[in-house]
């Protein structure tokens, strides 16, 4: 059964390299790389890379929207674009060769009208029946109220399809009920909780508050290089990260969501679905731009974790 993704604020992600980054001076860059971007599109690319059926839904407008649609098709992702009056956004990432630092310039995106927002919801409603999961990922563009993802969760629930959500800020605070899984970073979880979360116990407590309030059944907290924390009503577990040389960190969190969605759709236990997510994120770290990892590499990393019985620490 397919996975349906929604990206409310998609982008053309441009990436290039330069010798060093300085103020005022012109910085001569390499030829740019262009990728279709935005959380749900990145998730869909990982799902497709793993050989599972997926449909990516997103708004697109203007000449940039046309280019975005071309990039999504070239990535081999079946999709449905909702036409918008304002043009789709572009983002820019520049890699400085002298320091290895990555500079990311992210723009707000077009203002979506209420009618355009409704058409996005209607597109999900049409494609959701029979899907294993609806995955919403990324920020909300201007003009979209912070409770939009709650409305989407209610639409998915009415179709009997569980929803996975990866967002932050006001969009995350707007969720009150009915999501299967959310994946905040530890920083996003602290912002949502309104307090510092300096250790695993406080992180687990903040995540379990969301579970106990029926916001989500599962909270998967990304800890960056420190791994992943998974919290349900019954258990809290820590999974280590896989150390690899990082080529680009853009889209790695989305790749994790894609891997978790695929594992869940395949009927994996939560532990194994998270291992597949970690494998997908790790493989994405070693690719250029926002490209997903190769299926063979993701499967290799997953099998290595499974064979090694990658240590999982029970917390609390």
């Amino acid at each position: 059964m397919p996975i349906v993704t929604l990206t409310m604020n998609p982008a053309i992600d441009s990436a290039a390299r330069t010798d060093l980054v300085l103020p005022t001076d012109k910085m001569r860059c390499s030829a740019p790389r262009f990728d279709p971007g935005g959380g749900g599109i990145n998730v869909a690319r990982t799902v497709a890379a793993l050989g599972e059926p997926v449909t990516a839904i997103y708004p697109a407008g203007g000449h940039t929207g046309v280019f975005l649609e071309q990039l999504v098709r070239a990535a081999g992702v079946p999709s449905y674009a909702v036409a918008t009056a304002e043009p789709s956004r572009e983002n820019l990432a520049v890699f400085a060769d002298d320091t290895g630092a990555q500079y990311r310039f992210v723009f707000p995106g077009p203002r979506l009208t209420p009618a355009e927002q409704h058409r996005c919801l209607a597109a999900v409603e049409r494609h959701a029946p029979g899907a294993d999961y609806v995955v919403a990922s990324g920020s909300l563009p201007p003009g979209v109220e912070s409770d939009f993802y709650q409305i989407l969760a209610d639409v998915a629930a009415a179709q009997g399809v569980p929803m996975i959500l990866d967002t932050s800020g006001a969009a995350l605070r707007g969720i009150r009920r009915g999501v299967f899984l959310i994946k905040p970073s530890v920083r996003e979880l602290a912002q949502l909780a309104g307090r510092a979360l300096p250790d695993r116990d406080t992180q687990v407590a903040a995540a379990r508050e969301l579970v106990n309030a029926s916001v989500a059944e599962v909270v998967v907290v990304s800890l960056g290089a420190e791994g992943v924390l998974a919290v349900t009503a019954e258990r809290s577990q820590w999974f280590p990260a896989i150390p690899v040389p990082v080529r680009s960190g853009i889209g790695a969190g989305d790749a994790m969501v894609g891997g978790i969605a695929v594992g869940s759709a395949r009927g994996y236990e939560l532990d194994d679905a998270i291992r597949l997510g970690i494998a997908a994120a790790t493989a994405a770290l070693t690719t250029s731009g926002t490209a997903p990892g190769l299926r063979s590499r993701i499967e290799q990393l997953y099998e290595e974790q499974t064979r090694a019985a990658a240590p999982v620490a029970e917390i609390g």
Side-chain angles (χ1 to χ4, degrees):
M1 304 293 276
I3 291 169
V4 175
T5 73
L6 177 63
T7 311
M8 287 301 291
N9 204 10
I12 296 168
D13 283 332
S14 307
R17 308 190 74 90
T18 190
D19 292 337
L20 70 167
V21 175
L22 295 171
T24 308
D25 291 353
K26 290 181 180 179
M27 290 165 284
R28 304 293 180 181
C29 296
S30 65
R33 173 194 174 100
F34 298 104
D35 287 298
I41 290 174
N42 292 334
V43 170
R45 293 172 73 193
T46 293
V47 174
L50 285 167
E52 298 297 336
V54 65
T55 299
I57 297 170
Y58 58 93
H63 68 282
T64 47
V66 173
F67 187 29
L68 177 61
E69 291 183 60
Q70 292 172 348
L71 290 171
V72 173
R73 285 195 298 270
V77 176
S79 64
Y80 180 85
V82 175
T84 62
E86 293 192 11
S88 301
R89 64 176 177 154
E90 297 180 75
N91 293 329
L92 173 64
V94 177
F95 300 83
D97 289 333
D98 61 331
T99 62
Q102 179 188 86
Y103 298 85
R104 299 177 64 183
F105 303 89
V106 179
F107 299 99
R111 178 171 293 274
L112 299 189
T113 67
E116 291 165 350
Q117 296 172 43
H118 176 76
R119 288 198 289 271
C120 290
L121 291 170
V124 173
E125 194 169 24
R126 287 196 303 273
H127 287 84
D132 285 309
Y133 290 93
V134 167
V135 181
S137 182
S139 61
L140 294 174
V144 179
E145 296 294 333
S146 60
D147 66 347
F148 180 87
Y149 283 137
Q150 182 60 64
I151 297 171
L152 177 65
D154 294 341
V155 167
Q159 300 286 343
V161 181
M163 179 168 136
I164 295 173
L165 177 65
D166 183 9
T167 191
S168 60
L172 182 56
R173 291 194 298 274
I175 290 294
R176 302 180 301 278
R177 62 182 179 273
V179 175
F180 168 64
L181 183 149
I182 60 173
K183 191 206 72 64
S185 68
V186 67
R187 175 183 57 82
E188 292 162 351
L189 181 62
Q191 291 174 345
L192 185 61
R195 62 183 185 273
L197 305 175
D199 52 44
R200 297 286 180 269
D201 287 340
T202 56
Q203 293 158 10
V204 168
R208 185 152 284 139
E209 287 172 9
L210 299 176
V211 175
N212 291 341
S214 298
V215 172
E217 296 177 36
V218 183
V219 179
V220 175
V221 185
S222 173
L223 306 173
E226 296 182 18
V228 173
L229 184 66
V231 178
T232 67
E234 296 79 25
R235 304 174 71 186
S236 54
Q237 298 171 285
W238 172 78
F239 298 75
I242 303 173
V244 292
V246 176
R247 191 169 183 181
S248 172
I250 304 174
D254 302 322
M256 177 179 290
V257 173
I260 292 173
V262 168
S264 300
R266 290 176 177 173
Y268 292 4
E269 295 293 332
L270 179 61
D271 292 6
D272 284 333
I274 291 174
R275 288 190 181 99
L276 186 60
I278 291 171
T282 304
L285 289 171
T286 64
T287 66
S288 299
T290 60
L294 294 174
R295 180 177 182 175
S296 58
R297 180 58 173 155
I298 297 172
E299 291 174 346
Q300 177 191 14
L301 291 166
Y302 171 72
E303 291 298 332
E304 287 175 359
Q305 292 178 88
T306 304
R307 285 198 306 270
V312 177
E314 294 280 353
I315 301 172

